[in-house]
Amino acid sequence: MALRPLRADDSAAIAAQVSDFEVARWTARIPHPYPPGAADAFLLDAAATDAAGATLHRAVTRAGDDSLVGIVSLVMIRPGVAELGYWVGRVAWGQGIAGAAAAAMIGIARDQGIYRLLGKVMDGNPRSMAVLARQGFVTDHEAPPEEVVRDGQRTLLHSFVLDLTAGGQGA
């Protein structure tokens, strides 16, 4: 697994992968069906928010292959605190890529002086919960689960936290 900056030519790969219902359903923000032009709009927004220092997005690729198989990001909440987000396409499921991408981004967060990371996982997504747990995230007891509506169905979004000052794993 490798991380690289997002590029305009990632649009088709993003659209193809998140158009898969099984990928989109486990996220709180990716709509399904994925609208035409949404990947281009996402890339423009990501470039602007990255440039402003509000976010940091990276393409997730397989080592030795520059093709995007997912995205990992940090969204700055306040100084020293960020939310870690990620998705990987079905082509990369079960290969440890999500965990490796999360670990790499946690290392970047630590290098940038971030001391607390938040993570959110949809109810019924034990694989993503396991990714966070392997990195040292624990249930955030200060943030009760949020109720979200996806495709007309109510579900819960669980919150997790990683304290990077207490030797949280990450990289």
Side-chain angles (χ1 to χ4, degrees):
M1 184 287 316
L3 300 182
R4 65 163 171 75
L6 292 171
R7 305 184 306 232
D9 67 350
D10 288 326
S11 180
I14 292 169
Q17 292 181 60
V18 299
S19 290
D20 180 345
F21 175 73
E22 287 301 317
V23 174
R25 77 182 282 210
W26 299 115
T27 71
R29 296 184 186 109
I30 297 173
H32 191 272
Y34 199 63
D40 292 329
F42 165 76
L43 287 167
L44 287 172
D45 183 66
T49 58
D50 283 5
T55 61
L56 177 64
H57 293 85
R58 289 294 179 256
V60 179
T61 67
R62 286 192 177 96
D65 179 356
D66 201 39
S67 301
L68 181 144
V69 297
I71 294 177
V72 62
S73 63
L74 295 173
V75 176
M76 305 314 160
I77 306 295
R78 60 184 176 274
V81 180
E83 182 177 332
L84 174 71
Y86 54 88
W87 64 261
V88 294
R90 197 188 305 220
V91 298
W93 286 3
Q95 300 169 35
I97 291 175
M105 192 58 100
I106 291 166
I108 291 168
R110 184 179 282 117
D111 291 346
Q112 291 188 355
I114 294 171
Y115 58 86
R116 184 177 177 90
L117 282 175
L118 309 175
K120 296 187 178 182
V121 178
M122 299 290 280
D123 199 36
N125 190 351
R127 287 181 172 178
S128 193
M129 288 181 187
V131 165
L132 293 181
R134 282 192 296 275
Q135 299 307 317
F137 280 80
V138 296
T139 299
D140 185 351
H141 296 290
E142 295 176 15
E146 298 171 45
E147 187 173 85
V148 295
V149 178
R150 290 287 296 175
D151 300 317
Q153 301 291 319
R154 293 180 188 277
T155 190
L156 295 177
L157 191 60
H158 299 276
S159 296
F160 297 86
V161 64
L162 176 63
D163 181 354
L164 295 176
T165 65
Q169 285 177 284

